[in-house]
Amino acid sequence: MLAVAAGGGLACGAAPDRAGRGARPPEVEVALVRSGARTRVVLIAAPNLEINAQVAPALELAGGPVLRFASPALTPDSAYFTAPPVAWLDHPADTVHGTLRVGVCERGQEVCRRIAIPL
Amino acid sequence: MRRFGFTLTRSGQGPFALAAAIVLAGGGALALDSTAQSGPRTRPVAAPHGRRPAPAWHNASWLNTDRPITLESLRGRVVLLNFWVFTCYNCTNTVPSLVEFDRKYRDQGLTIVGIHTPEFPPYAGEHDRANVERALQRYGIRYPIAQDNDDRTWNLYDIRFWPSFVLIDKHGDIRYEGYGEFHLNDGSYATWEGRIRELLAER
């Protein structure tokens, strides 16, 4: 199984890093997992973030197609994913190119923002 | 399993620098490093700012009103802008408080203006007027809503989070700004209500 993880710090509209650090840990990672002739694309959010399930994360692939992520595991109010949301590529892939869009909400802070990550 | 972690570093307004680290990990390491933490966040409560003129918005598509509402037309009224989107749970959780403010203070001179700014591109449905209309019905929203599908008003007010709030006085000056969900009769609700009443009491 091969997983590629990418992400971090590209939050559109995110507050600046108030601690003044130059580098920030990834906010959302993308893992690619081969599954037969297909590839499972998995999103993993940083522990302080919840992924908004009311607008499904999207991977805008280079060339135009848009993959939407889903998971049956949601909070009781259906607001957030409680398991990493998944999308599928119908071919084996070790890398993926495009733009990942995720709505994330800060645990305990009750605000949301959007993240756009070029992959 | 091989795992590749990338850390993106921001440098002012310039391009993002990319530093890549390759990590070899055994086992099903799909979980993030548990040490990954963001920096401290501002508490989501209203904070006073100096007076400055509110910029005029120019949204063309409106709901709950017969014609577009301009800032100029609201001179003499207190205006609470609410930046929201119907797919934001924190936003819709705050709507009952806004509906209550509208009920209590509209006749005393408060106008709530919802600025509906989508999070995602149009394929997600947030730009669709009919979807916004359904949300207004679902949540009992009767105050005017502007569709901000191109983020223009969001950017004009330098908004960063959903939901956000801007309180404008009778002279068209921004007096308070803040963000974050609040609920009927909680501390943030009381803070916002106090500020609304303060501005309503001014000449």
Side-chain angles (χ1 to χ4, degrees):
Chain A
M1 180 168 63
L2 175 68
V4 179
L10 284 178
C12 295
D17 185 347
R18 295 176 192 277
R21 294 168 298 198
R24 295 168 63 179
E27 295 188 301
V28 178
E29 289 190 310
V30 180
L32 301 181
V33 184
R34 295 268 191 90
S35 180
R38 304 171 72 201
T39 304
R40 189 159 48 103
V41 187
V42 184
L43 294 187
I44 305 108
N48 62 311
L49 297 178
E50 294 180 286
I51 295 178
N52 185 354
Q54 297 197 353
V55 55
L59 177 55
E60 300 170 358
L61 296 170
V66 179
L67 293 182
R68 303 305 297 271
F69 291 79
S71 167
L74 304 173
T75 52
D77 51 23
S78 301
Y80 306 107
F81 293 107
T82 55
V86 171
W88 290 88
L89 294 169
D90 59 5
H91 58 85
D94 293 338
T95 59
V96 65
H97 298 285
T99 300
L100 175 70
R101 296 187 190 276
V102 189
V104 295
C105 303
E106 312 266 344
R107 287 184 198 277
Q109 301 253 350
E110 299 180 327
V111 293
C112 298
R113 55 197 168 86
R114 56 187 163 198
I115 295 177
I117 303 171
L119 300 175
Chain B
M1 182 181 74
R2 282 202 303 164
R3 184 171 183 221
F4 300 80
F6 297 87
T7 300
L8 295 156
T9 305
R10 188 168 195 164
S11 176
Q13 298 300 313
F16 294 96
L18 177 66
I22 299 176
V23 180
L24 299 178
L30 279 180
L32 273 179
D33 180 352
S34 62
T35 61
Q37 295 289 337
S38 295
R41 304 287 184 187
T42 304
R43 287 291 302 156
V45 296
H49 291 256
R51 296 185 191 204
R52 58 189 170 89
W57 58 80
H58 298 284
N59 302 73
S61 178
W62 289 77
L63 299 94
N64 284 348
T65 177
D66 293 336
R67 60 180 72 101
I69 290 178
T70 64
L71 179 62
E72 184 61 29
S73 71
L74 296 173
R75 194 61 59 95
R77 294 185 65 82
V78 174
V79 180
L80 178 60
L81 298 183
N82 168 222
F83 291 83
W84 74 297
V85 60
F86 68 78
T87 55
C88 160
Y89 193 62
N90 300 128
C91 301
T92 54
N93 280 348
T94 307
V95 164
S97 298
L98 300 176
V99 168
E100 180 65 3
F101 286 158
D102 186 41
R103 186 190 68 77
K104 287 172 74 174
Y105 298 112
R106 183 189 286 227
D107 291 345
Q108 296 180 42
L110 174 70
T111 297
I112 299 177
V113 176
I115 307 293
H116 187 270
T117 310
E119 278 192 65
F120 272 50
Y123 58 72
E126 298 167 314
H127 291 64
D128 188 330
R129 183 181 175 93
N131 288 339
V132 181
E133 281 176 338
R134 273 190 285 275
L136 301 191
Q137 290 173 7
R138 186 180 317 133
Y139 297 109
I141 296 171
R142 298 178 61 188
Y143 47 82
I145 301 290
Q147 286 192 272
D148 192 35
N149 285 349
D150 58 3
D151 289 6
R152 245 173 107 181
T153 304
W154 173 277
N155 291 331
L156 193 63
Y157 279 81
D158 194 25
I159 301 299
R160 294 163 182 264
F161 302 107
W162 289 270
S164 284
F165 309 92
V166 178
L167 191 58
I168 300 169
D169 69 16
K170 295 176 182 177
H171 304 284
D173 290 331
I174 295 174
R175 299 284 292 278
Y176 296 101
E177 297 175 271
Y179 56 83
E181 173 181 335
F182 59 90
H183 308 99
L184 285 169
N185 301 316
D186 72 6
S188 291
Y189 176 95
T191 298
W192 281 109
E193 183 171 41
R195 286 169 173 159
I196 289 168
R197 294 173 71 151
E198 172 198 335
L199 298 195
L200 286 173
E202 292 179 352
R203 290 181 176 269

